[in-house]
Amino acid sequence: MPPSLQKISQSVESRSADEKYADVNWDELGFGVIPTEFMYIMKCSNGGEFSQGHLTPYRNIELSPSAGVLNYGQGLFEGLKAYRTEDDRFLLFRPEENALRMQMGAERMLMPSPSTQQFLDAVKQTVLANKRWIPPLGKGTLYVRPLLIGSGPVLGVAPAAEYTFLVFAAPVGIYHKGPAGLNLYVEDQLHRATPGGTGGVKSITNYSPAYLAQQQARAKGFSDVLFLDSVTGKYIEELTACNIFILKGNVLATPAVHGTILPGITRKSIIAIALDFGYQVEERVIPVEDLLEADEAFCTGTAVVVTPIGAATYQGKRVEYNTGKGTLFHKLRETLTGIQTGRLEDKKGWTMEIN
Ligand code: COI
């Protein structure tokens, strides 16, 4: 091991031996950048493969002003969480799904991607090096952010010749603070994704185009925006950063993933849990009218987990949903987080213990 890496690894070991937690106010966690101590970095150039990744102190990275990611947005990200169990073990939730989704996105964005094993090793190393930032059970989780970016210089519109895979982490709490139940605005002018575009992969370019709609909605007192399909404007798609579900009777429905909707890992897990509970689950196109007639609505994602929707407004018509005790979202969230934190038996093999 090179001397610099030896030093990092000694520092990781000596700190973790005598300090269980970093100096963080765990009661104040939101969803923001709280720097941790280490990040992971790995490069690949000239059509080669990723190799020689390593941990390094968390720091700013240096990029050429003509880096592909800065000029043409050639980049993908992932999001997953590390959980502390009651007996102080550390769990990841379905991390290989994130690795596969990154590989799928990389194909669409014409980028090389780390193998599943490389992705998992990088995530594990990053989490363990920063384990003092994994919040106490009940206070939050360690959000892990893998990034794949075109770091090589380009000027003509073309893929970069060098790529950087990077993993950093930050302790997080609740994504949407505020009253229980989102107050949604159904956006009928601006769109998030188009057929044939990148809405179905986790491209970094999918998010900032939603800022304007989000800001306009927030200015009117809404908490988030629900986008409609860009071809007909009739069907619901997803929020700025999560998938949506609606419940009517015993039928739980969510928009089918046909290229404009992100195949969420929480989405997929919630479908499986709801089926186990005996609900009928439909992945289909969902007219906005179905949203307005639903009994319950909620959104899912790694960051938002399962968050209830309290109300939705479409073209001036506002409807409210049940968010109280006995709701399905509540049962689903309890089961999902129970598995994620080791409180419930993981019969599906979704969690990965790391040590
Ligand atoms: C996640 O849930 O991990 C996301 O990707 C949402 C993020 C944009 C905050």
Side-chain angles (χ1 to χ4, degrees):
M1 192 188 294
S4 60
L5 294 187
Q6 221 160 23
K7 233 165 87 193
I8 288 172
S9 125
Q10 278 161 3
S11 136
V12 173
E13 274 162 28
S14 65
R15 271 184 177 285
S16 52
D18 49 27
E19 290 170 41
K20 183 166 165 188
Y21 288 114
D23 184 18
V24 173
N25 183 351
W26 303 113
D27 293 317
E28 294 288 312
L29 287 179
F31 200 92
V33 180
I34 296 179
T36 54
E37 201 166 6
F38 297 101
M39 64 186 193
Y40 184 95
I41 194 158
M42 180 164 65
K43 292 198 183 233
C44 153
S45 49
N46 299 322
E49 298 194 339
F50 279 98
S51 63
Q52 296 185 327
H54 60 272
L55 287 172
T56 176
Y58 181 85
R59 57 175 164 80
N60 291 347
I61 57 170
E62 197 165 274
L63 281 176
S64 157
S66 47
V69 66
L70 295 180
N71 290 265
Y72 302 123
Q74 197 186 17
L76 291 166
F77 75 88
E78 275 300 325
L80 66 160
K81 284 174 171 171
Y83 306 81
R84 189 185 288 270
T85 66
E86 201 173 7
D87 54 352
D88 267 324
R89 292 174 300 116
F90 305 126
L91 301 179
L92 298 174
F93 184 71
R94 310 186 78 175
E96 62 294 324
E97 293 281 339
N98 296 91
L100 294 174
R101 190 168 62 184
M102 178 167 268
Q103 287 159 22
M104 198 178 82
E107 269 181 38
R108 176 64 181 82
M109 302 290 284
L110 224 53
M111 298 197 278
S113 58
S115 69
T116 303
Q117 200 48 51
Q118 286 175 321
F119 183 100
L120 295 178
D121 281 348
V123 167
K124 282 188 216 170
Q125 287 194 44
T126 309
V127 170
L128 290 175
N130 293 306
K131 66 183 175 188
R132 296 185 311 124
W133 278 265
I134 306 179
L137 180 63
K139 302 285 183 189
T141 52
L142 185 72
Y143 186 79
V144 184
R145 173 53 62 86
L147 276 174
L148 177 61
I149 56 174
S151 45
V154 282
L155 198 53
V157 176
E162 182 202 79
Y163 293 86
T164 300
F165 175 66
L166 211 145
V167 185
F168 67 92
V172 297
I174 291 173
Y175 188 81
H176 281 289
K177 282 203 164 158
L182 299 180
N183 181 15
L184 270 197
Y185 181 76
V186 182
E187 172 61 57
D188 61 356
Q189 299 298 314
L190 300 168
H191 293 284
R192 174 188 173 274
T194 50
T198 58
V201 298
K202 225 159 165 51
S203 163
I204 60 170
T205 54
N206 289 345
Y207 294 83
S208 54
Y211 293 169
L212 178 61
Q214 191 184 46
Q215 192 196 48
Q216 288 172 350
R218 285 194 175 152
K220 292 185 215 147
F222 294 98
S223 34
D224 205 347
V225 171
L226 171 62
F227 290 101
L228 298 175
D229 80 280
S230 61
V231 175
T232 69
K234 288 183 183 165
Y235 304 106
I236 63 171
E237 294 219 315
E238 63 181 84
L239 282 70
T240 53
C242 50
N243 297 116
I244 185 165
F245 283 82
I246 60 170
L247 177 71
K248 182 77 179 169
N250 193 46
V251 181
L252 184 65
T254 188
V257 286
H258 286 316
T260 54
I261 300 204
L262 188 82
I265 296 159
T266 312
R267 174 188 178 280
K268 187 172 172 179
S269 309
I270 286 298
I271 291 174
I273 296 171
L275 287 170
D276 285 353
F277 284 169
Y279 285 84
Q280 185 181 326
V281 180
E282 295 179 349
E283 295 180 70
R284 59 172 167 91
V285 287
I286 302 182
V288 69
E289 289 73 25
D290 288 11
L291 169 75
L292 301 179
E293 285 162 16
D295 303 328
E296 216 185 291
F298 56 85
C299 54
T300 63
T302 300
V304 302
V305 193
V306 181
T307 298
I309 295 168
T313 299
Y314 172 62
Q315 295 184 342
K317 180 171 177 193
R318 176 185 160 93
V319 293
E320 291 187 358
Y321 303 104
N322 190 4
T323 58
K325 281 242 159 75
T327 42
L328 176 61
F329 97 80
H330 198 259
K331 237 167 78 175
L332 291 169
R333 188 172 64 189
E334 284 302 292
T335 304
L336 178 73
T337 56
I339 296 170
Q340 289 171 331
T341 56
R343 184 169 44 78
L344 295 179
E345 189 191 347
D346 173 15
K347 294 184 185 147
K348 297 185 188 294
W350 282 346
T351 52
M352 178 185 283
E353 182 168 344
I354 53 169
N355 43 45

